[in-house]
DNA sequence: TTCCAGGTCCGGC
DNA sequence: GCCGGACCTGGA
């Protein structure tokens, strides 16, 4: 693909994901304006709706063909058309936000190559045909980490509600025209919030996990952005040392925010999919982390993409049939 | 009312 | 290492 220095990820790495407006006074509202929609061309398969609503991220809200979320401390609105993506951002202008959004959508990742790598079996081939253009996002690892700590024994509507509550309570207000949202709080902000105030927001038994993990990340142990450069196994070890982070949550963070496309989160949906469609005999009784090893071996370096297509397929089928 | 939901942790084999 | 129970809360 053509070299595009703004989509390599290097630019985004040089820009802190948290605290882009660190010069602002703490908790001072970020005042914006309504942006004029600009076009971002896309030369890769992209199904924006599936990508944003497939349970990788929990802050995107749909309004007809527009999707509104808060990323990089901006309210971003996007819609897909034949030419690419129309989007607006506020308070920062679109020229600043565009490369960040390209990076967020991982538009430099060669999906055709990945399809060729994982699409050998019929089950995946069919899922790829159904959800062609579903992409694995490259999110802010801190927001991703907290989101998936919240995900345990929960469901997407509740996770979204928990995350919005956390942002409203401890983040900073962002405005775009008449829209008001809040940024995702920094590790410091959540560490200061503490367990009790988190619990009052309705996150339940996850409150002490979030508080403890926020404290660790605020102290730089581990440094999440460094994990993006670390080998998979090392990053996995560092993440699972955090409170409330087991094999499944860690693999979600590795896949959806830390560029580890071999990560393979095994939740109840993926477990059922593997048992029913792939595993035979005694293998059906494998523990979840053994299933992850099996999948990494079977699907290869892009096992995470295979996971996302299987998960999406299984979840939507589940909604239809059972 | 009871059960279950995108798990993790802890204690007992 | 594996297994079972507890853990918040909201919706069916």
């Amino acid at each position: 693909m053509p070299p595009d220095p703004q989509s390599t990820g290097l630019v985004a790495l040089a820009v802190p994901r948290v605290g882009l407006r660190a010069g602002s006074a703490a908790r001072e509202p970020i005042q914006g304006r309504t942006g004029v929609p600009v076009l971002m061309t896309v030369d890769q398969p992209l199904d924006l709706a599936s990508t944003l609503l497939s349970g990788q991220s929990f802050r995107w809200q749909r309004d007809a063909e527009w999707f509104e979320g808060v990323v990089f401390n901006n309210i971003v609105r996007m819609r897909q058309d034949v030419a690419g993506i129309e989007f607006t951002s506020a308070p920062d202008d679109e020229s600043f936000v565009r490369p960040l959004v390209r990076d967020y959508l991982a538009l430099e990742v060669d999906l055709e190559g990945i399809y060729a790598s994982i699409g050998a079996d019929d089950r995946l081939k069919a899922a790829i045909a159904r959800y062609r253009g579903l992409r694995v996002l490259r999110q802010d690892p801190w927001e991703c980490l907290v989101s998936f700590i919240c995900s345990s024994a929960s469901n997407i509507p509740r996770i979204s509600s928990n995350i919005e509550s956390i942002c409203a309570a401890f983040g900073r207000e962002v405005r775009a025209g008449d829209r008001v949202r809040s940024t995702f709080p920094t590790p410091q902000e959540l560490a200061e919030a503490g367990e009790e105030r988190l619990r009052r927001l309705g996150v339940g038994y996850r409150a002490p996990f979030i508080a403890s993990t926020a404290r660790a990340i605020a102290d730089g142990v581990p440094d999440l952005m460094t994990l993006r450069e670390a080998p998979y196994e090392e990053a996995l070890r560092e993440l699972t040392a955090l409170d409330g982070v087991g094999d499944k949550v860690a693999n979600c963070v590795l896949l959806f925010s830390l560029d580890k496309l071999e990560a393979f989160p095994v939740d109840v949906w993926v477990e059922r999919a593997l048992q029913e469609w792939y595993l035979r005999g005694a293998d059906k009784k494998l523990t979840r982390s053994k299933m992850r090893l099996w999948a990494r071996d079977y699907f290869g370096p892009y096992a995470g993409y295979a996971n996302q297509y299987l998960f999406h397929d299984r979840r939507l089928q589940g909604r239809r049939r059972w």
Side-chain angles (χ1 to χ4, degrees), chain A residues 239-308:
Chain A
L239 288 174
T240 51
L242 295 165
D243 246 357
V245 183
D247 198 80
K248 191 273 175 180
V249 168
N251 275 88
C252 285
V253 176
L254 290 167
L255 179 58
F256 302 140
S257 74
L258 291 174
D259 284 346
K260 303 294 181 278
L261 296 184
E262 70 268 51
F264 194 91
V266 182
D267 57 32
V268 61
W269 296 102
V270 171
E271 181 179 30
R272 287 177 197 150
L274 291 182
Q275 285 170 336
E276 187 175 328
W277 297 335
Y278 291 93
L279 302 173
R280 294 282 168 263
D283 280 351
K284 287 181 188 291
K285 296 187 197 297
L286 289 175
T287 63
R288 289 188 178 185
S289 57
K290 291 239 168 104
M291 281 187 190
R292 170 169 66 74
L293 297 174
W294 178 92
R296 170 65 182 82
D297 189 50
Y298 181 83
F299 294 114
Y302 302 111
Y305 258 93
N307 181 293
Q308 192 57 199

Side-chain angles (χ1 to χ4, degrees), chain A residues 61-240:
Chain A
Q61 299 171 0
R62 185 172 201 161
D63 174 13
E65 73 256 41
W66 286 93
F67 297 89
E68 183 196 279
V70 183
V71 283
F72 310 106
N73 292 338
N74 276 72
I75 294 183
V76 171
R77 288 170 58 78
M78 296 194 259
R79 78 170 166 189
Q80 186 167 18
D81 67 20
V82 286
I85 297 171
E86 264 191 276
F87 84 103
T88 65
S89 60
D92 294 321
D93 61 45
E94 287 76 12
S95 62
F96 176 75
V97 172
R98 182 191 334 238
L100 303 179
V101 170
R102 289 195 82 88
D103 188 62
Y104 180 83
L105 294 172
L107 289 177
E108 88 290 359
V109 170
D110 172 22
L111 217 49
E112 297 295 356
I114 290 176
Y115 289 158
S117 168
I118 63 172
D121 76 76
D122 291 342
R123 182 62 65 175
L124 265 170
K125 206 175 289 180
I128 290 168
R130 272 196 285 278
Y131 313 115
R132 189 178 179 70
L134 166 60
R135 305 184 74 85
V136 167
L137 295 170
R138 183 184 288 121
Q139 299 178 241
D140 166 37
W142 162 240
E143 176 175 338
C144 191
L145 176 59
V146 175
S147 299
F148 282 95
I149 288 176
C150 286
S151 77
S152 89
S154 189
N155 51 69
I156 291 178
R158 185 178 176 201
I159 301 164
S160 303
S161 153
N162 286 162
I163 296 300
E164 284 307 310
S165 301
I166 288 173
C167 293
F170 307 118
R172 277 184 296 149
E173 231 176 53
V174 203
R175 292 173 183 274
D178 58 348
R179 297 291 302 153
V180 183
R181 300 282 298 268
S182 293
T183 61
F184 194 87
T186 63
Q188 291 77 9
E189 285 167 339
L190 274 196
E192 284 161 20
E195 175 182 338
E196 283 315 312
R197 290 168 72 197
L198 282 164
R199 195 177 280 268
R200 283 199 288 276
L201 294 180
V203 301
Y205 65 83
R206 305 156 193 87
F209 296 158
I210 298 169
S212 161
T213 289
R215 175 45 60 200
I217 302 302
D219 292 343
V221 188
D223 178 307
L224 291 176
M225 292 314 284
T226 301
L227 295 188
R228 197 168 267 168
E229 316 305 321
Y232 169 82
E233 292 293 346
E234 181 186 329
L236 176 65
R237 211 165 39 245
E238 299 258 25
L239 288 174
T240 51

